Amino acid sequence: MCSSDLSLKQFTNIASLYDYNIKVVMSSDKEEIANFHLKMARKYLESYKLKNFKIELIHNSIIDAIKTSYLDWADLIVLGAHSKHFIKKFFFGSVTTFLVQEEKKPLFIGI
């Protein structure tokens, strides 16, 4: 299980209490792996009876997609720490660093 899966599971415990609109977005050059994770995310959200969600696979840079399509839309951004070396990736990972520097939205970082 990767950290983004764990982040979603941690967040779902909170989201199941409210009627949030949720978008699960993944960017990957390995479409088969990305589709597997998105399928699992869909099943997990459905198991909690959540209905207001969309699943999207992005084929370009996730940072570009966040900038153009999601940063202004989202009230909260949920992400995983993708690294075997969490501390290093947390401080130096490109997506985490971008979102921390933007200081526009609260972050929910699952580990």
Side-chain angles (χ1 to χ4, degrees):
M1 180 177 298
C2 71
S3 62
S4 57
D5 294 336
L6 290 171
S7 299
L8 179 64
K9 288 184 178 194
Q10 292 166 350
F11 172 72
T12 301
N13 290 321
I14 297 167
S16 63
L17 303 173
Y18 304 97
D19 190 27
Y20 289 133
N21 290 317
I22 301 168
K23 285 189 184 178
V24 177
V25 181
M26 184 168 195
S27 173
S28 177
D29 55 351
K30 299 174 183 166
E31 193 163 338
E32 184 176 333
I33 293 171
N35 283 326
F36 170 79
H37 287 287
L38 292 173
K39 181 180 176 183
M40 298 306 292
R42 175 181 300 282
K43 285 182 178 183
Y44 192 78
L45 291 169
E46 288 172 345
S47 75
Y48 272 81
K49 309 290 188 240
L50 297 173
K51 296 178 182 174
N52 296 328
F53 68 88
K54 293 183 181 179
I55 304 286
E56 298 181 29
L57 176 59
I58 305 295
H59 294 286
N60 58 340
S61 160
I62 191 69
I63 292 176
D64 290 342
I66 290 169
K67 283 181 192 177
T68 60
S69 301
Y70 302 105
L71 199 55
D72 291 329
W73 177 86
D75 292 323
L76 172 72
I77 298 176
V78 178
L79 65 151
H82 296 283
S83 178
K84 293 179 183 175
H85 307 287
F86 167 70
I87 299 299
K88 179 180 176 186
K89 190 66 175 180
F90 178 78
F91 288 110
F92 300 111
S94 59
V95 175
T96 302
T97 300
F98 166 74
L99 291 169
V100 168
Q101 289 173 346
E102 282 294 306
E103 296 181 358
K104 285 189 173 185
K105 302 293 176 174
L107 303 176
F108 183 101
I109 303 173
I111 53 172

